[in-house]
Amino acid sequence: MKELTPQLIHSLKHYTKKDLFQDLTAGVIVAIIALPLSIALALASGVSPEQGLYTAIAAGFLISALGGSKVQIAGPTAAFATIVAGIVARNGMEGLAAATVLAGLMLILMGVLRMGSMIKFIPYTITTGFTAGIAVTILIGQLKDFFGLSFQNAPVETMEKLEEVFRTFHTVNPAAAGVGCLALAVLVLWPRVFRKVPASLAAVVVTAAAVKLLALPVNTIGDLYTISSALPEFTLPAMSYGTIAAVLPDAFTIAVLAAIESLLSAVVADEMIGARHNSNMELVAQGVGNAASAFFGGIPATGAIARTAANIKNGGRSPVAGMVHAVVLLLVLVLLMPYAALIPMPCIAAILFQVAYNMSGWRTVVKVVKQSPKSDVAVLAVTFLLTVAFDLVVAIVVGLSLACLLFMKRMADVAVVKEWEYVEDTGDDQGRLKPVPAHVMVYEISGPMFFGAADKIPHIERSSGRRVLILRMRSVPAMDITALNSLQRLCQECQDKGIQVIFSHVNEQPLSVFRKSGLYEEVGEENFAPNIDAALARAQELEAVCQG
């Protein structure tokens, strides 16, 4: 368990007053950035505004305190918005709490089982595709509030929301659209003039003032939600068998997405500070943080790349900064939360538009499309479309399946079984070919031999006049049972025709397969040669025995 040590313990060993000052400064700035984002993401997730802060406080504090990264900032993120909204619509808040707790337990188990390296098994095209897809779903989900539309129905699925937008677009509220455009203008232009104050906070203040002073007919958070500044209460969610069965797929989705996003964020942070995170400890912390978030009325949380980057840029270098950010948000919740009622809904939509734009990674998508093979582009496109049209689970399952099939095809294409060219057949007089006795045939096998390439192993259908077959396998790194069966079939065909099989340079994994299957004993230890020269020498011995 030594590996599962929080980064906070390592950081505090050499902690100084200067480090504390930097962490305090970074923590306060990140809290200011996280405030409007937490509220916006909570609303996008179909829950009340304060629940976004509950998440950032409970999960943010524990993930920083227990995590394996020095600078990771955790809280509600855009990736979960549509997933959480769907869970709430289907199973209510009790179902969401149960799913989040189960996801937390799964994440803890992943960390304890040392599954932190799992991120490398998710192809880049899939992460790019579903990230862009989530960005589009967020954008579509905010069109209603941005334009002040009056929906006739309450759609849950993304495509249903888009249909409802087109159906009710004639109800657009010009004042709401104007406030939304004002918020977008502030978000885009503010950082060019004032870099110290977050643009999202400036947009909130400017648009709230405009709506209040001009008495604009625009919905605010207070018009749609009851704002509470009360501290979150500890509540155990109902965990009956029926509830667990209903939310288990959702819990798996939350756990997988939290693991992927948090580890990606930690990798990005490592590159920025020149450090290395403990991925297994990070997963354990994510699990504890998510479970705690559910116990205190929050929603799923994970590492947030944008807030983590802001923490680093403002001097944060230890988990203390993330803990400070959570404490500052707690003070804001108690002292200033009622003022959140004044924030216009179009401003929240505009903030989420910017979040969606930043997370879409459209430049990366264009780069992948231009530079990648068509098969990789297909995986990206399928993952993107399925994320938008259905959900993340379908997208990841289908995307991974497609990526695996394409990988197997590539490996099968690489695998080659080819007979050597012989001196007497080519008329080689330059000594470029290795001399092979007339009674010997040599086949070179290259690449991994698995079920996708097993059909390349040849048949011995008729007598060739040669009495020894050498199978040279120095370029075969691995073999599965299907390829083994094909080799056993080949050996049987050779035995029926009086041909002796010799294996040359069999690597460790294929050799273990041979031993386990009994083929090693069947062929005989003496017929496994370390190299081609030894195999040819063995063939000569066999011929001498036959002639003697």
Side-chain angles (χ1 to χ4, degrees):
M1 297 297 289
K2 186 177 180 181
E3 295 179 11
L4 297 179
T5 303
Q7 182 59 51
L8 178 64
I9 294 177
H10 298 301
S11 297
L12 292 180
K13 289 179 180 178
H14 308 287
Y15 204 64
T16 64
K17 290 183 179 180
K18 180 182 177 182
D19 295 330
L20 176 61
F21 177 77
Q22 288 182 321
D23 285 337
L24 287 172
T25 303
V28 171
I29 293 173
V30 172
I32 294 172
I33 295 171
L35 174 63
L37 284 177
S38 299
I39 293 173
L41 291 168
L43 296 178
S45 302
V47 300
S48 61
E50 63 270 17
Q51 286 179 276
L53 291 184
Y54 294 167
T55 307
I57 293 167
F61 186 90
L62 288 173
I63 291 173
S64 289
L66 301 176
S69 171
K70 290 183 177 181
V71 291
Q72 180 95 284
I73 300 294
T77 61
F80 283 118
T82 53
I83 297 171
V84 171
I87 297 172
V88 172
R90 291 190 301 272
N91 302 305
M93 287 304 302
E94 282 292 326
L96 175 62
T100 307
V101 171
L102 289 174
L105 295 176
M106 290 180 189
L107 285 164
I108 294 172
L109 188 61
M110 287 180 192
V112 172
L113 295 178
R114 308 295 195 271
M115 295 176 65
S117 60
M118 63 178 287
I119 188 68
K120 67 183 179 184
F121 296 110
I122 307 295
Y124 184 65
T125 48
I126 291 180
T127 57
T128 303
F130 78 63
T131 301
I134 291 171
V136 171
T137 62
I138 292 171
L139 186 146
I140 292 173
Q142 296 306 308
L143 292 174
K144 173 183 180 293
D145 289 329
F146 188 86
F147 292 106
L149 304 178
S150 299
F151 275 14
Q152 298 171 357
N153 303 305
V156 175
E157 301 298 330
T158 300
M159 300 312 295
E160 293 174 352
K161 290 179 181 178
L162 188 59
E163 290 177 10
E164 191 71 7
V165 167
F166 284 114
R167 189 181 298 116
T168 62
F169 201 75
H170 63 280
T171 66
V172 63
N173 180 348
V179 170
C181 291
L182 174 62
L184 279 179
V186 173
L187 290 170
V188 173
L189 300 176
W190 185 270
R192 301 180 183 180
V193 182
F194 306 100
R195 296 185 178 181
K196 295 294 184 181
V197 180
S200 55
L201 185 63
V204 164
V205 173
V206 170
T207 55
V211 170
K212 187 70 175 178
L213 295 175
L214 300 178
L216 296 176
V218 175
N219 281 334
T220 64
I221 292 179
D223 295 329
L224 304 180
Y225 301 90
T226 301
I227 303 295
S228 172
S229 59
L231 292 174
E233 297 181 0
F234 181 85
T235 306
L236 289 174
M239 298 292 282
S240 65
Y241 176 80
T243 301
I244 293 174
V247 303
L248 196 57
D250 296 322
F252 179 76
T253 303
I254 293 170
V256 171
L257 184 55
I260 293 172
E261 190 170 9
S262 62
L263 295 181
L264 280 175
S265 176
V267 169
V268 172
D270 286 350
E271 293 174 354
M272 294 180 70
I273 64 173
R276 186 174 182 180
H277 71 283
N278 182 334
S279 57
N280 295 315
M281 191 64 235
E282 186 64 27
L283 288 179
V284 171
Q286 293 288 334
V288 173
N290 273 277
S293 177
F295 291 148
F296 287 100
I299 59 178
T302 186
I305 295 177
R307 275 159 274 176
T308 298
N311 179 37
I312 295 169
K313 291 177 181 178
N314 286 283
R317 287 298 181 272
S318 85
V320 173
M323 298 162 68
V324 169
H325 131 271
V327 172
V328 172
L329 287 176
L330 178 63
L331 296 175
V332 170
L333 171 69
V334 174
L335 302 176
L336 302 176
M337 196 58 187
Y339 293 103
L342 302 175
I343 301 175
M345 293 304 294
C347 177
I348 294 293
I351 291 173
L352 290 170
F353 280 175
Q354 188 183 52
V355 170
Y357 174 83
N358 291 334
M359 80 174 293
S360 69
W362 66 269
R363 293 181 180 84
T364 301
V365 173
V366 171
K367 181 180 177 182
V368 170
V369 171
K370 285 183 177 180
Q371 299 180 356
S372 301
K374 291 181 180 179
S375 56
D376 286 341
V377 175
V379 172
L380 189 154
V382 168
T383 306
F384 170 80
L385 292 173
L386 291 177
T387 301
V388 175
F390 296 99
D391 60 49
L392 191 64
V393 175
V394 174
I396 290 180
V397 169
V398 174
L400 271 176
S401 300
L402 182 58
C404 289
L405 287 172
L406 291 170
F407 174 77
M408 287 186 288
K409 182 182 182 302
R410 288 172 183 165
M411 291 298 98
D413 291 341
V414 168
V416 176
V417 181
K418 185 178 181 181
E419 187 173 7
W420 272 20
E421 293 181 348
Y422 305 114
V423 174
E424 60 269 23
D425 296 331
T426 62
D428 176 57
D429 57 359
Q430 303 295 321
R432 290 172 297 186
L433 300 179
K434 184 180 290 292
V436 175
H439 68 286
V440 177
M441 50 185 164
V442 180
Y443 278 81
E444 186 93 29
I445 306 178
S446 302
M449 298 307 296
F450 66 110
F451 58 87
D455 62 336
K456 296 186 178 183
I457 295 174
H459 285 268
I460 303 295
E461 297 176 348
R462 61 182 184 275
S463 178
S464 62
R466 299 179 186 263
R467 295 177 293 280
V468 176
L469 168 63
I470 296 177
L471 294 176
R472 194 181 190 206
M473 298 181 63
R474 65 171 184 169
S475 299
V476 179
M479 172 183 293
D480 72 356
I481 186 64
T482 307
L484 173 68
N485 287 337
S486 294
L487 280 177
Q488 287 176 323
R489 180 261 306 156
L490 176 61
C491 290
Q492 186 60 50
E493 291 175 0
C494 290
Q495 184 179 350
D496 293 342
K497 292 177 173 54
I499 300 173
Q500 177 63 54
V501 178
I502 299 175
F503 289 93
S504 170
H505 199 150
V506 181
N507 289 307
E508 183 177 351
Q509 194 275 344
L511 188 60
S512 68
V513 173
F514 287 159
R515 292 182 186 278
K516 191 172 183 180
S517 67
L519 184 61
Y520 185 84
E521 289 76 14
E522 183 180 332
V523 173
E525 181 180 356
E526 66 278 7
N527 292 316
F528 280 83
N531 52 58
I532 188 62
D533 291 327
L536 291 171
R538 174 60 181 163
Q540 290 284 47
E541 288 177 15
L542 291 172
E543 182 65 11
V545 171
C546 290
Q547 291 178 354

